[in-house]
Amino acid sequence: MKVLGIESSCDETSVAIINEDKLTANLISSQDFHQNYGGVVPELSSRAHLQIVNPLVKDALKKSNLSLNDIDLISATAGPGLIGALLVGLTYAKGLSLALEKPFIGVNHIEGHIFSGFLMPEKPEFPYLCLVVSGGHTLLLLVESFTKIYKLGSTVDDAAGEAFDKVSKLLGLGYPGGPQIQEAASNGDENKINFPVSDLKQKYNFSFSGVKTAVLRNVQSQGGIEKLSEEDKNNIAASFQFATIKALTRNLIRALENYEVKSISVVGGVAANSHLKSEVTKLANQYGKFIVIPDIEFCGDNAAMIAFRGKSLYENGVRHKLSYKPFPSLSTNHFLEMTK
Ligand code: KG4
Ligand code: ZN
């Protein structure tokens, strides 16, 4: 089976092709111009997706030595994301499906991330604990199969990636902030400042708005960003990164103590963070679990994960009509509730 995947939920346009079990193309075009605005401008994002999606599909087919008529299934991100951006990829995919008379599947972007570990040579084994850490979402899940995903916890305010982005902006390090904070942190002292991270009553939930405010207060107490030396900024970045990752691993440890799993997978943009990777790998070794953290190419937004998820849904009997609608946010009851 040859699957075409299209991703356009935010500021990356991506097109991928999976031929049988082999990923033959995963082209990603990042809209770097949003940096000039300090965040993603939805209208500009939609226009850029519209300009690039067709050329990317052509390039992906060429790279895979295939023509459009060879494609058996077309999948595209349906949500969550920016509605105008989603509409571009989704409508394009539906048009192809209609013209080629091939099935179409609208993919949930978060589910794309959840199964992105399967794009790696060594794949997660069910059941696994999945920590989803992206710019828009932070979720701790128990994944039993391709169709059974239980939610253990989620963020009650900011997502982990959002916290990295906001703190980076606050320190004048630019957007998006994850890689910049990681770089600054590598030159700083993580024990310099004790930034607290909330521990909530629901022990698998997360909250990152407090640590962001604590960073703001710290900067203000030192007389504002203009008064900070590079060393001060590096120390703040390192201490913030330490506290944020501590909160993520704290809840993961709780889940490891409570649920019998075979593996752990950390996915989404923040999974590219080297400190998070090394902390989770240590934990996996300690608990004797197999760990799968996708390569950077599959951590950030990409269409390979959308093609893979489309394929796994198709193989589980899912078919979508062309009336399938895009959705901007993840519904609170999207995943199964864990009662034990
Ligand atoms: O999954 P993703 O590409 O997009 C969403 O679906 O949201 O995640 C983007 C997020 C951004 O917040 C970005 O700052 C963060 O991932 N990120 C990182 C790193 N690289 C990207 N956060 C921490 N450390 C990194 N190295
Ligand atoms: Zn994402």
Side-chain angles (χ1 to χ4, degrees), residues 2 52 99 133 165 185 188 239 242 246 273 310:
K2 298 167 184 63
I52 198 85
V133 273
D165 295 340
S239 304
F242 178 83
K246 192 106 198 139
N273 185 279

Side-chain angles (χ1 to χ4, degrees), residues 167-182:
V167 166
S168 174
K169 207 169 176 178
L170 230 148
L171 294 176
L173 299 175
Y175 175 89
Q180 285 88 336
I181 292 280
Q182 178 179 314

Side-chain angles (χ1 to χ4, degrees), residues 142-199:
L142 179 69
V143 187
E144 275 193 3
S145 69
F146 283 125
T147 51
K148 270 200 165 155
I149 308 169
Y150 292 90
K151 182 167 111 177
L152 304 181
S154 61
T155 181
V156 298
D157 42 53
D158 291 351
E162 198 178 349
F164 272 86
D165 295 340
K166 287 179 177 168
V167 166
S168 174
K169 207 169 176 178
L170 230 148
L171 294 176
L173 299 175
Y175 175 89
Q180 285 88 336
I181 292 280
Q182 178 179 314
E183 172 63 22
S186 68
N187 299 312
D189 176 3
E190 62 185 21
N191 299 312
K192 194 79 187 172
I193 310 152
N194 181 21
F195 287 128
V197 179
S198 329
D199 197 353

Side-chain angles (χ1 to χ4, degrees), residues 122 262-266 277 280-281 284-285 289-293:
E122 295 204 84
K262 293 217 168 85
S263 8
I264 301 171
S265 193
V266 185
K277 278 192 214 182
V280 177
T281 305
N285 291 337
K289 308 294 177 194
F290 185 58
I291 174 94
V292 181
I293 302 175

Side-chain angles (χ1 to χ4, degrees), residues 6 40 55 65 107 137 170 256 285 290 304 311:
I6 299 175
V40 177
N65 285 320
V107 170
H137 298 87
L170 230 148
L256 281 165
N285 291 337
F290 185 58
K311 184 170 182 266

Side-chain angles (χ1 to χ4, degrees), residues 30-51:
S30 295
Q31 305 171 357
D32 295 333
F33 57 81
H34 293 295
Q35 284 168 4
N36 304 330
Y37 305 90
V40 177
V41 185
E43 178 62 23
L44 297 182
S45 165
S46 312
R47 285 175 195 226
H49 286 305
L50 197 55
Q51 278 173 352

Side-chain angles (χ1 to χ4, degrees), residues 12 109 113 133-136 161-162 164-165 176-179 182 268-270 272-274 299-301:
E12 259 96 27
H109 179 87
H113 278 300
V133 273
S134 72
E162 198 178 349
F164 272 86
D165 295 340
Q182 178 179 314
V270 184
N273 185 279
S274 52
C299 283
D301 290 343

